[in-house]
Amino acid sequence: MPLYETVFVVRQDVAQTQVEALGTQFSDLIATMGGQVPKKEYWGLRQLAFRMKKNRKAHYMLMNIDSPADAVKEMERTMSINEDILRYLTVRVEELEAGPSAMMRKSDREERGDRGDRRRGDREPRGDREPRGERPRFARDAAAPAPEAEAEAGEPA
């Protein structure tokens, strides 16, 4: 049977238990149609990158699915009807991930180290350029000719 990963996003005013109940409802639907859901992960309440249907935060849930395509289509149809679900995405994959997903792994963050070890502030001079000197503060100052240029232009040649 084909393998799928589904992530769905649920409104922020829904309780966590209701989100997990939705996951159970969808896994039961898959099971009745001849498939199985080996893994369900609740990712928590997270901030959205942009507003979706007037929501700034949402609950995320990942499901790994091993089922026929008809069962996945029926699950997606049910998700589109449900008003609590803001978005969903189902992707066909070659193999299912056995361990925790990338969103749940904490070790990646720890391996990066403390962010205090990075350089901050002004850069040191590179040495390959001359100092820029005085720059005009406003566009009108840059458009006006320098006083020395006016004096040179006024003298007859």
Side-chain angles (χ1 to χ4, degrees):
M1 281 191 280
L3 305 172
Y4 299 94
E5 284 186 357
T6 299
V7 176
F8 60 94
V9 181
V10 183
R11 292 183 309 143
Q12 68 183 2
D13 55 341
V14 174
Q16 178 181 345
T17 54
Q18 290 175 308
V19 175
E20 291 172 353
L22 281 171
T24 305
Q25 174 188 346
F26 296 134
S27 63
D28 291 344
L29 176 71
I30 295 291
T32 57
M33 297 189 75
Q36 61 179 354
V37 180
K39 179 171 82 169
K40 289 188 293 187
E41 276 186 5
Y42 174 71
W43 289 351
L45 184 66
R46 308 179 128 258
Q47 181 130 6
L48 298 172
F50 55 90
R51 290 178 66 181
M52 285 186 226
K53 299 181 184 176
K54 300 182 182 179
N55 290 288
R56 295 187 184 275
K57 291 185 176 184
H59 298 273
Y60 283 74
M61 181 163 246
L62 167 80
M63 295 171 55
N64 285 351
I65 301 171
D66 180 10
S67 72
D70 293 339
V72 174
K73 283 185 181 179
E74 178 61 26
M75 180 191 69
E76 287 182 339
R77 188 188 71 79
T78 308
M79 285 182 178
S80 67
I81 293 171
N82 194 326
E83 292 178 359
D84 291 335
I85 296 180
L86 300 174
R87 299 272 166 94
Y88 59 89
L89 177 68
T90 303
V91 180
R92 186 172 177 177
V93 294
E94 294 296 322
E95 62 183 75
L96 296 175
E97 210 172 316
S101 66
M103 295 295 288
M104 298 303 289
R105 284 188 226 134
K106 300 274 185 189
S107 63
D108 292 343
R109 294 183 191 139
E110 294 169 0
E111 289 173 8
R112 285 190 287 182
D114 185 23
R115 293 182 183 219
D117 60 352
R118 297 183 185 150
R119 284 183 37 197
R120 293 191 181 154
D122 295 334
R123 287 194 217 175
E124 297 172 9
R126 292 174 37 172
D128 60 342
R129 297 183 188 152
E130 296 293 323
R132 293 179 117 182
E134 193 78 23
R135 287 185 273 174
R137 292 183 57 180
F138 303 105
R140 68 173 187 263
D141 294 342
E148 300 161 358
E150 288 178 5
E152 291 175 9
E155 295 177 17

